[in-house]
Amino acid sequence: MSGLPTDPDYLNKSDNAWQLVAATFVGLQSVPGLIILYGGAVKKKWAVNSAFMSLYAFACVFLCWVIWAYRLSFGDQLLPFWGKPALALDEVYLFKKAFSGNFPNATMIYFQGVFAAITLILIAGAVLGRMNFYAWMLFVPLWLTFSYTFTAFSIWSPNGFLTKLGIIDYSGGYVIHLSSGVAGFTAAYWVGPRLNKDRERFPPNNLLLMLAGAGLLWMGWTGFNGGDPYSVGIDASLAVLNTHACTATSLLTWVLLDVIFFRKPSVIGAVQGMITGLVCITPAAGVVQGWAALIMGVCSGSIPWFTMMVIHKRSKLLQKVDDTMAVLHTHAIAGSLGGILTGLFAEPNLNALFYGAYNKYVGLFYGLHMKKASLGFRQIGIQLIGILFVIFVNVVSTSLICLFIRLFVPLRMSEEDMEIGDEAAHGEEAYAIWGQGDKLENSSSKYGSSLYEDVEVAVTTKNKRGSQIEMM
């Protein structure tokens, strides 16, 4: 019995417990959070396909993560931007202390794995409503391996070149959101657009369901940002509070702009403002003061609003690419904005609390105040270098991956299958409103068939004597 493993001396059970809980919060953002959000936000005929793209990505990423991708992202250095591929399944390795925090590798692998999974699911948002599911099945492991691992190692691994340079990305503004926004937009370019009628009119099939998914996304961000100090210390508390303060401010700012310019508060707009707030605060959550989080919320609720509602509609280049869920604005632009604002507002004492170094991480405003402007300008420069690096990696890698996949399977569904949607892709439909959900055969309704073209039911109408409706 003496050979049985015991809790190691380094283990802090409180930190370990919080890290496992935080990881589960992040996992719930994807399963079921984004599954529900996507399933409700798209046209009815795409509800199953959109939700299933998320579910598949989560499962596929996790399998690849434990077999090779975690060690590529956080293992021993192979290149300045890439680790050595290796299994992360051996109990000897799993029980060793993680690269940060007082808990084992097993906990860190789980925590980082759900971050990797949500990144792929965010990319899916850009290509909903037309991407061939078989192409998506290939895209997920390839992009995880040859794009995500590059940025994760470079920015988060202790051995990464941007980590050593001193970049601040508290919880994934660069690694997750800028990456997914750029990769999603690039993939959307290569996949091609939806049908014209879907681009012109793509109403959510269930706004309340979409809001439920959005709520899980928001509350799950407690673990997303609160888990990144790798402890249950005061920095986790600050990160959580800043996250919710920034997000609330961003949502309200977006809604206010909708009211001022469009005369109606939009539910979809509120969700967009919520997402941009969450994304913007992510690189800064535990290293800025509360007042800075509020300023970031105003910026994240207004600047992406302007790029989406004004610039996008006037730009032929942007309109050429069919980005279904506007991930370019909500993730790439909001993530870049957060990274730059972090370079302005990062507080040296909070950075010392998180990174353990005082003079290496100094926001520009504090550098000017301390009469150490060079430190502040250096930080802004590093933040900008990080943005350029992530954009370059994702444009190149995503393009090459899409071109490679195209050699084997079409990236885009056929026009005929896109007319049908879920039934063509999976042989399944989201809602069986009447009976077994068979297709509507009676087109002689006084309302006409077009009113109910998306409601697929089978009924026999009442006769003149009021016979009972037969449900098939």
Side-chain angles (χ1 to χ4, degrees):
M1 299 294 289
S2 60
L4 291 175
T6 59
D7 287 338
D9 293 337
Y10 69 77
L11 180 66
N12 183 306
K13 292 185 177 181
S14 297
D15 290 347
N16 193 44
W18 166 239
Q19 211 63 36
L20 291 170
V21 169
T24 303
F25 267 113
V26 179
L28 288 170
Q29 291 181 288
S30 298
V31 182
L34 285 169
I35 289 177
I36 295 174
L37 191 153
Y38 287 171
V42 298
K43 208 170 185 178
K44 175 192 169 291
K45 68 175 181 177
W46 293 111
V48 171
N49 180 259
S50 301
F52 193 22
M53 286 179 73
S54 303
L55 182 64
Y56 167 80
F58 191 88
C60 183
V61 166
F62 220 89
L63 179 62
C64 299
W65 192 248
V66 297
I67 295 176
W68 69 79
Y70 175 78
R71 301 287 283 272
L72 285 174
S73 302
F74 296 97
D76 297 331
Q77 180 174 329
L78 177 64
L79 298 169
F81 56 87
W82 218 21
K84 295 179 181 178
L87 288 168
L89 292 169
D90 178 74
E91 86 173 33
V92 174
Y93 177 77
L94 295 177
F95 288 164
K96 287 182 178 179
K97 186 178 180 181
F99 66 84
S100 184
N102 294 314
F103 46 79
N105 278 325
T107 299
M108 183 64 81
I109 294 166
Y110 174 41
F111 182 75
Q112 294 294 345
V114 289
F115 273 75
I118 198 173
T119 309
L120 266 300
I121 295 172
L122 293 174
I123 293 173
V127 294
L128 297 180
R130 79 279 198 184
M131 188 171 187
N132 182 355
F133 196 83
Y134 297 110
W136 178 244
M137 292 176 72
L138 295 173
F139 181 89
V140 171
L142 288 172
W143 191 88
L144 173 71
T145 304
F146 296 107
S147 187
Y148 183 85
T149 57
F150 292 172
T151 53
F153 187 90
S154 300
I155 294 173
W156 277 347
S157 169
N159 297 316
F161 81 97
L162 284 170
T163 304
K164 295 177 180 178
L165 200 59
I167 194 170
I168 302 175
D169 186 15
Y170 187 87
S171 195
Y174 289 85
V175 177
I176 296 172
H177 299 293
L178 179 56
S179 290
S180 62
V182 174
F185 193 77
T186 305
Y189 169 80
W190 290 109
V191 172
R194 289 166 288 171
L195 295 174
N196 286 334
K197 66 178 183 180
D198 283 347
R199 290 195 73 179
E200 292 168 1
R201 188 173 184 274
F202 204 69
N205 72 87
N206 194 322
L207 270 176
L208 295 181
L209 202 63
M210 184 189 76
L211 284 173
L216 284 167
L217 195 66
W218 186 347
M219 291 301 103
W221 229 280
T222 298
F224 199 100
N225 288 345
D228 261 296
Y230 304 131
S231 72
V232 288
I234 56 175
D235 200 38
S237 300
L238 177 65
V240 170
L241 184 62
N242 280 344
T243 296
H244 295 294
C246 177
T247 303
T249 305
S250 181
L251 185 155
L252 295 174
T253 301
W254 194 293
V255 170
L256 182 61
L257 289 171
D258 277 349
V259 170
I260 292 172
F261 290 96
F262 303 121
R263 303 299 183 216
K264 285 186 179 180
S266 166
V267 173
I268 297 175
V271 172
Q272 301 282 38
M274 178 204 83
I275 293 172
T276 56
L278 291 166
V279 171
C280 184
I281 194 61
T282 291
V287 296
V288 298
Q289 300 282 2
W291 58 265
L294 297 183
I295 295 174
M296 293 179 74
V298 172
C299 293
S300 64
S302 56
I303 294 175
W305 181 93
F306 182 76
T307 64
M308 185 186 299
M309 298 300 179
V310 180
I311 295 177
H312 190 102
K313 293 179 179 180
R314 296 179 180 177
S315 170
K316 292 182 179 179
L317 175 63
L318 293 178
Q319 288 187 349
K320 183 179 179 181
V321 179
D322 182 15
D323 178 0
T324 308
M325 300 296 288
V327 298
L328 175 70
H329 302 282
T330 57
H331 294 279
I333 290 174
S336 299
L337 176 65
I340 293 169
L341 293 175
T342 301
L344 296 177
F345 296 130
E347 210 272 353
N349 291 317
L350 296 175
N351 278 291
L353 183 65
F354 182 63
Y355 289 108
Y358 184 79
N359 287 324
K360 190 176 181 180
Y361 305 91
V362 179
L364 177 59
F365 290 162
Y366 289 93
L368 295 173
H369 178 72
M370 297 161 55
K371 297 183 180 180
K372 295 182 179 180
S374 60
L375 292 177
F377 282 113
R378 179 182 183 276
Q379 192 64 58
I380 285 289
I382 295 170
Q383 301 299 108
L384 293 174
I385 289 171
I387 291 171
L388 294 175
F389 171 76
V390 174
I391 292 173
F392 174 79
V393 166
N394 282 279
V395 169
V396 173
S397 62
T398 305
S399 295
L400 291 175
I401 289 167
C402 287
L403 292 171
F404 176 77
I405 293 172
R406 200 164 68 176
L407 297 174
F408 302 96
V409 295
L411 290 172
R412 190 166 176 262
M413 295 173 66
S414 67
E415 298 280 324
E416 295 78 10
D417 285 350
M418 286 193 289
E419 287 281 356
I420 300 168
D422 290 338
E423 180 71 28
H426 307 288
E428 298 164 316
E429 297 177 350
Y431 303 110
I433 300 176
W434 300 98
Q436 299 303 314
D438 297 328
K439 295 187 183 302
L440 179 65
E441 294 177 356
N442 176 24
S443 59
S444 60
S445 167
K446 65 180 181 180
Y447 297 105
S449 61
S450 62
L451 182 61
Y452 298 106
E453 64 183 356
D454 266 351
V455 181
E456 296 167 353
V457 299
V459 301
T460 59
T461 58
K462 289 185 179 182
N463 61 26
K464 292 181 180 179
R465 294 184 180 181
S467 300
Q468 186 175 0
I469 293 177
E470 178 188 354
M471 298 296 184
M472 298 182 63

